[in-house]
Amino acid sequence: MLLAASVHSTTDAQLRTATRRAGGLFVAATVVMLRLERTLHATGGPGIIAFELAGSEHRAASIMKSWGPKGIAAARASLWLDFGYMATYGVFSALLAEHADRRFGKRRSGVPVFSWAQTACAVAVAADAREGVALLNVLRGWDPEAQVVSARRAALTKFVLLFTVLLYWASSFCRSEGRTCGRWSCEPRTPPRITT
């Protein structure tokens, strides 16, 4: 976890700058991926996520048939580019996790603290890589029955982990025990007294 170690030593200002840059790179990469997604939909077939979650050889074959040669070429390009794309969202989500750790007070100056959220980001990227390899094998026709099952499991792992990290980050804006982050607090407001 070289990234996590380097992130822990940054100041809050450096972390904000790194997050903005990583977020910008993620958005730019997303634009490229969406262009390929539109190509897939233009064939009359579903997008790449449906292929990731196909789960059966029959369903995967049906999707590839609906795509045709042009769609399959776009799907292959999307899967190859995804190996770079996963690095952008992996770094971005890990930085968001670091922000959350600091808001929750889990990061003390000079004291390393294990971050389950950043570990989850790394596992999500690894699962995405496994999914990409499996789906490329499906497109090649290499043991598609086993590969589509493997791809679905990896995709579900990825989605669950990333959703959990994002939920953790969002919840860090509203901390318990009366501590505030910015202007807002999760503490219930005391109703005003009514005097007569």
PDB file of all heavy atoms in Angstrom, residues 23 32 37 55 69 73 195:
ATOM      1  N   GLY A  23      -9.588  13.614  -9.320  1.00  0.00           N
ATOM      2  CA  GLY A  23     -10.981  13.690  -9.752  1.00  0.00           C
ATOM      3  C   GLY A  23     -11.099  14.179 -11.181  1.00  0.00           C
ATOM      4  O   GLY A  23     -11.914  13.671 -11.965  1.00  0.00           O
ATOM      5  N   VAL A  32     -14.122   9.452 -22.050  1.00  0.00           N
ATOM      6  CA  VAL A  32     -13.646   8.534 -23.090  1.00  0.00           C
ATOM      7  C   VAL A  32     -14.421   7.218 -23.039  1.00  0.00           C
ATOM      8  O   VAL A  32     -14.855   6.690 -24.084  1.00  0.00           O
ATOM      9  CB  VAL A  32     -12.135   8.267 -22.920  1.00  0.00           C
ATOM     10  CG1 VAL A  32     -11.664   7.214 -23.924  1.00  0.00           C
ATOM     11  CG2 VAL A  32     -11.346   9.564 -23.093  1.00  0.00           C
ATOM     12  N   GLU A  37     -19.278   3.514 -24.728  1.00  0.00           N
ATOM     13  CA  GLU A  37     -20.583   3.038 -24.253  1.00  0.00           C
ATOM     14  C   GLU A  37     -21.684   3.426 -25.230  1.00  0.00           C
ATOM     15  O   GLU A  37     -22.591   2.633 -25.514  1.00  0.00           O
ATOM     16  CB  GLU A  37     -20.864   3.623 -22.865  1.00  0.00           C
ATOM     17  CG  GLU A  37     -22.107   3.104 -22.190  1.00  0.00           C
ATOM     18  CD  GLU A  37     -21.971   1.687 -21.662  1.00  0.00           C
ATOM     19  OE1 GLU A  37     -20.855   1.120 -21.736  1.00  0.00           O
ATOM     20  OE2 GLU A  37     -22.975   1.138 -21.178  1.00  0.00           O
ATOM     21  N   GLY A  55     -23.294 -13.319 -16.390  1.00  0.00           N
ATOM     22  CA  GLY A  55     -23.379 -14.461 -15.496  1.00  0.00           C
ATOM     23  C   GLY A  55     -23.578 -15.822 -16.132  1.00  0.00           C
ATOM     24  O   GLY A  55     -23.444 -16.842 -15.473  1.00  0.00           O
ATOM     25  N   PRO A  69     -20.178  -7.129 -35.072  1.00  0.00           N
ATOM     26  CA  PRO A  69     -18.723  -6.897 -35.139  1.00  0.00           C
ATOM     27  C   PRO A  69     -18.302  -5.521 -34.615  1.00  0.00           C
ATOM     28  O   PRO A  69     -17.299  -5.399 -33.908  1.00  0.00           O
ATOM     29  CB  PRO A  69     -18.411  -7.043 -36.627  1.00  0.00           C
ATOM     30  CG  PRO A  69     -19.506  -7.904 -37.154  1.00  0.00           C
ATOM     31  CD  PRO A  69     -20.736  -7.545 -36.377  1.00  0.00           C
ATOM     32  N   ALA A  73     -15.992  -4.924 -31.241  1.00  0.00           N
ATOM     33  CA  ALA A  73     -14.738  -4.168 -31.309  1.00  0.00           C
ATOM     34  C   ALA A  73     -14.723  -3.047 -30.271  1.00  0.00           C
ATOM     35  O   ALA A  73     -13.700  -2.798 -29.615  1.00  0.00           O
ATOM     36  CB  ALA A  73     -14.556  -3.592 -32.710  1.00  0.00           C
ATOM     37  N   THR A 195     -42.827  29.505  25.522  1.00  0.00           N
ATOM     38  CA  THR A 195     -43.159  30.206  26.775  1.00  0.00           C
ATOM     39  C   THR A 195     -44.526  30.846  26.634  1.00  0.00           C
ATOM     40  O   THR A 195     -44.931  31.278  25.561  1.00  0.00           O
ATOM     41  CB  THR A 195     -42.111  31.287  27.074  1.00  0.00           C
ATOM     42  OG1 THR A 195     -42.045  32.189  25.961  1.00  0.00           O
ATOM     43  CG2 THR A 195     -40.727  30.637  27.281  1.00  0.00           C
TER      44      THR A 195
END
